[in-house]
Amino acid sequence: MGHEVEKTALARQHSIVVTIDNTQEWEDRLEKLKQADVAIDFSQPDQVVANIHRCFDMHIPIVVGTTAWQDHFEEIKTRCLAEKQSLFTAPNFSIGMNIMFLLNKQLAKFAEKYGYQLSMAETHHIHKLDKPSGTAVKLANDILAIDHDYDRWSIDAPANHTLFIKVTREGEVNGIHSVMAESLADKITLTHEAFNRQGFAMGAIAAAEFLVGKTGVFGMEDLF
């Protein structure tokens, strides 16, 4: 993902000040990072919170595409707002996926009204660590906020008042997310399939361009 972000940034006439891939490089390349207008993080769930704090320490705006760190979000948000820092975070930077987020909310609304049963499925490459994906979690939480037939989601098994998410990890799949609404009469399926990582990279660069010069916590809704 980092390579895709770099290619997209260069194509849009930006300069890459530094790349950092491990803890030692944080130490060795810190001075170069201080020259950056904005940092973009696509790292690992166990590293991202520390990376955000490091950027805040240097007052460098940061765009975060890493997922599975939301347990720390309120802590990060509190520091960001208190210190007038800059953070842009989203579970998915694809423009197409964010259109699906909007459609998903509409589907959830009508599913409750007309008695459709909802379920979800997501497939990613075998290297993805979080299950379900951050994108799937957002889709599910948006459904729960709208369709009161469900009070929780689960990847374990279908159950009453539980939104079931089928999770698959196989090959080098970039990401497929589906939301299904089924009644006795018919079935509706919303699906977003990422063919490559270019869409995510373009969204991340657009977010970085948006973030420079601003303070606060932002997401794709603000970019849109």
Side-chain angles (χ1 to χ4, degrees):
M1 191 63 227
H3 293 302
E4 287 293 339
V5 169
E6 183 173 7
K7 285 185 348 189
T8 302
L10 293 172
R12 290 178 66 82
Q13 308 303 310
H14 296 296
S15 298
I16 305 298
V17 174
V18 66
T19 61
I20 297 175
D21 291 320
N22 55 60
T23 303
Q24 186 58 48
E25 288 181 359
W26 271 105
E27 303 301 324
D28 297 341
R29 304 179 182 181
L30 202 59
E31 291 305 312
K32 289 185 179 180
L33 181 61
K34 291 177 181 178
Q35 303 169 28
D37 295 311
V38 61
I40 298 176
D41 183 290
F42 281 92
S43 58
Q44 301 291 344
D46 62 346
Q47 298 293 321
V48 62
V49 175
N51 294 347
I52 295 170
H53 281 301
R54 287 184 180 111
C55 287
F56 282 179
D57 289 344
M58 294 178 283
H59 288 273
I60 296 173
I62 181 168
V63 173
V64 179
T66 308
T67 57
W69 62 276
Q70 291 305 302
D71 288 349
H72 299 276
F73 177 73
E74 289 303 322
E75 158 206 338
I76 294 293
K77 178 181 177 181
T78 297
R79 181 180 178 190
C80 183
L81 297 177
E83 299 180 6
K84 292 184 168 52
Q85 304 275 3
S86 306
L87 171 70
F88 192 112
T89 181
N92 193 305
F93 279 88
S94 161
I95 300 300
M97 191 65 235
N98 280 275
I99 293 172
M100 182 162 169
F101 288 149
L102 299 174
L103 296 174
N104 177 58
K105 291 178 182 179
Q106 290 298 312
L107 183 60
K109 178 175 131 181
F110 288 113
E112 181 182 35
K113 183 175 182 179
Y114 294 109
Y116 282 79
Q117 298 299 304
L118 295 173
S119 61
M120 291 175 50
E122 67 103 333
T123 303
H124 275 89
H125 52 79
I126 58 174
H127 316 289
K128 188 165 183 61
L129 299 180
D130 49 332
K131 294 175 61 176
S133 67
T135 300
V137 170
K138 175 169 174 52
L139 287 166
N141 286 339
D142 285 348
I143 290 171
L144 265 57
I146 294 169
D147 189 334
H148 300 96
D149 290 337
Y150 303 94
D151 52 27
R152 62 187 294 267
W153 57 261
S154 174
I155 64 173
D156 297 325
N160 289 335
H161 305 294
T162 299
L163 178 65
F164 176 59
I165 307 172
K166 180 182 178 182
V167 176
T168 303
R169 295 288 176 265
E170 63 182 24
E172 297 298 327
V173 177
N174 286 300
I176 305 172
H177 294 86
S178 296
V179 180
M180 288 74 69
E182 189 168 355
S183 73
L184 295 176
D186 55 13
K187 181 177 181 179
I188 304 163
T189 301
L190 294 178
T191 296
H192 177 272
E193 179 176 358
F195 297 144
N196 51 53
R197 292 185 172 93
Q198 293 175 8
F200 306 107
M202 184 64 248
I205 295 301
E209 294 169 347
F210 168 88
L211 191 60
V212 173
K214 296 181 177 68
T215 61
V217 178
F218 303 96
M220 291 301 284
E221 296 86 354
D222 303 295
L223 179 63
F224 274 20

